[in-house]
């Protein structure tokens, strides 16, 4: 999951070191994965440890930006069927803004 500067600052303010939860992939800060899962997934409850403070990308998921196609629902998400087209249209501007914040306008 890509992270904005604000995401990193918000999570760090909880006491987590960015070294703990951030990894850089092709120059983009992303949430670190441990054993195929987000570093903040609590394995005993299968819930997010920082849910109220989670990154914007997590808040908008399962909406994703598909280059050349626009905003759509990630078909790999088990809950993809719960998102209606109206919600996709309404939330698309937020997804596009997030993509621009992380990757710049040239990725849109």
């Amino acid at each position: 999951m890509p992270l904005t500067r604000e995401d990193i600052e918000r999570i760090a303010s909880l006491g987590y070191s960015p070294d703990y939860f951030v990894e850089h992939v092709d120059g983009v800060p992303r949430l670190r994965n441990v054993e195929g899962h987000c570093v903040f997934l609590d394995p005993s409850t299968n819930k997010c440890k920082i849910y109220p403070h989670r990154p914007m990308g997590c808040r908008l998921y399962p909406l994703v930006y598909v280059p050349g196609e626009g905003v759509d629902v990630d078909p790999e998400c088990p809950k993809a069927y719960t998102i209606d087209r109206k919600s996709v249209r309404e939330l698309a501007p937020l997804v596009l803004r997030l993509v621009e914040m992380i990757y710049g306008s040239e990725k849109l």
Side-chain angles (χ1 to χ4, degrees), residues 4-58:
T4 66
R5 184 178 68 253
E6 291 82 6
D7 291 331
I8 295 168
E9 290 170 0
R10 184 174 56 257
I11 296 167
S13 75
L14 299 173
Y16 294 100
S17 167
D19 290 337
Y20 171 73
F21 67 89
V22 178
E23 63 183 359
H24 287 82
V25 178
D26 296 327
V28 175
R30 303 178 71 82
L31 273 178
R32 183 178 306 283
N33 281 322
V34 177
E35 297 179 11
H37 298 283
C38 174
V39 67
F40 292 114
L41 179 69
D42 182 340
S44 65
T45 63
N46 207 32
K47 293 187 180 193
C48 177
K49 295 177 188 177
I50 61 163
Y51 189 81
H53 308 281
R54 68 196 182 280
M56 185 56 66
C58 295

Side-chain angles (χ1 to χ4, degrees), residues 60-66 70-77 79-85 87-88:
L60 292 169
Y61 191 78
L63 297 183
V64 294
Y65 177 70
V66 181
V71 177
D72 206 350
V73 178
D74 183 351
E76 294 185 30
C77 176
K79 299 270 187 173
Y81 68 92
T82 66
I83 307 298
D84 59 54
R85 299 317 298 170
S87 295
V88 173

